[in-house]
Amino acid sequence: MNVVVLTLVESDCSNPGPRTQALHLADELKARGASVRAVEARTPEDVDAAVADPQERIVLAADTDEQVNAVVARLTRLAMPAPSKRPEGLPEGRTVPDLPALAVLPLGTVPGIVVRLGLPEKPAEVAEAVAAGAVRRTDLMRHDGGGVAVDGVRLGGGDRPWRGVVNLDDVVLADGSEQILACVVANADGYAAADDMVLAEPDPADGRIDVAVAVPVMAGRFRKRLRIEVRRARGRAVAVHPADTVTYVQDGLAGQLARKRTWWVEPGAAGWYAA
């Protein structure tokens, strides 16, 4: 059994060397008969080189969801077939084959994705899962900007409403005429709530995206009052077209969306070493 333990290192930061958890993991893997090599990646190309051997089992030593997202994005890019070719055996409703399985070793903090997917956290538990080789498949979200999401996306939230069109398959959740307080596009439940409102209850292995839009509406026939209406739906693909720029958070990474974006589900594409 060959294992690569991958750590992402910021290019503008000094390198403190292997972290204690990674050293413990290496010892646990070697005790189980594994051959272990440690790799530090500063660029996406470094990640590509580190995971190039299909015979090696991959462990990512990570602190954050962003780091998990970055590696899953590279695995997706490497696995993606040419646009003009659909490989034989590609599952129905998928644009990419099964990604190589990934184990995540928490370092200083535990990435939220690890908790929400129920993955092992301690070095000995991670080593046992990798050695056993049992893989749990979950869905993956991709979008037309070239990125991926394991957990999900939240658009808006807080005290800055926005306007836009939100379509899930054939369902119109927002037509652009109303203010939107928050919109979640969820695979797991990291973004299932916003401003203390539970908007969605996603299952990361059901082959569907959960989408919810929170809209303020006036209710009451005689005495009007403001209430929050939450519109929910599940499906394969969602398109969000903001009228202006809206802030979003995807797998812990914040950004600004100023154009139409479509997310879709790749059922069972992601793999995780789990007990």
Side-chain angles (χ1 to χ4, degrees), residues 114-126:
V114 169
V115 176
R116 287 184 278 278
L117 296 183
L119 303 180
E121 300 179 17
K122 299 182 184 301
E125 295 170 348
V126 175

Side-chain angles (χ1 to χ4, degrees), residues 35-137:
S35 174
V36 182
R37 68 183 182 101
V39 177
E40 293 174 342
R42 295 180 180 272
T43 67
E45 292 72 24
D46 291 343
V47 175
D48 294 350
V51 301
D53 186 349
Q55 301 304 315
E56 285 186 316
R57 299 182 183 182
I58 307 166
V59 179
L60 170 63
D63 288 296
T64 66
D65 286 351
E66 298 98 305
Q67 293 171 328
V68 178
N69 180 288
V71 172
V72 174
R74 299 309 293 184
L75 292 174
T76 303
R77 181 180 180 276
L78 292 171
M80 200 178 306
S84 60
K85 298 180 180 179
R86 181 178 175 87
E88 293 185 7
L90 194 63
E92 184 71 23
R94 289 260 295 274
T95 66
V96 293
D98 288 351
L99 302 185
L102 183 68
V104 181
L105 172 70
L107 293 175
T109 58
V110 179
I113 287 172
V114 169
V115 176
R116 287 184 278 278
L117 296 183
L119 303 180
E121 300 179 17
K122 299 182 184 301
E125 295 170 348
V126 175
E128 184 60 33
V130 173
V135 175
R136 179 188 304 163
R137 308 300 311 184

Side-chain angles (χ1 to χ4, degrees), residues 138-216:
T138 66
D139 304 333
L140 178 69
M141 286 165 40
R142 293 184 57 208
H143 66 69
D144 54 4
V148 303
V150 176
D151 204 339
V153 189
R154 182 178 65 241
L155 300 104
D159 57 357
R160 297 189 63 184
W162 55 285
R163 295 179 188 271
V165 177
V166 181
N167 296 311
L168 178 67
D169 297 339
D170 296 328
V171 178
V172 178
L173 295 174
D175 63 6
S177 65
E178 304 163 295
Q179 291 187 327
I180 298 173
L181 297 179
C183 172
V184 299
V185 181
N187 183 43
D189 62 4
Y191 300 98
D195 301 325
D196 298 324
M197 296 183 294
V198 176
L199 302 181
E201 296 180 350
D203 178 347
D206 66 355
R208 296 185 294 175
I209 296 174
D210 283 54
V211 179
V213 176
V215 177

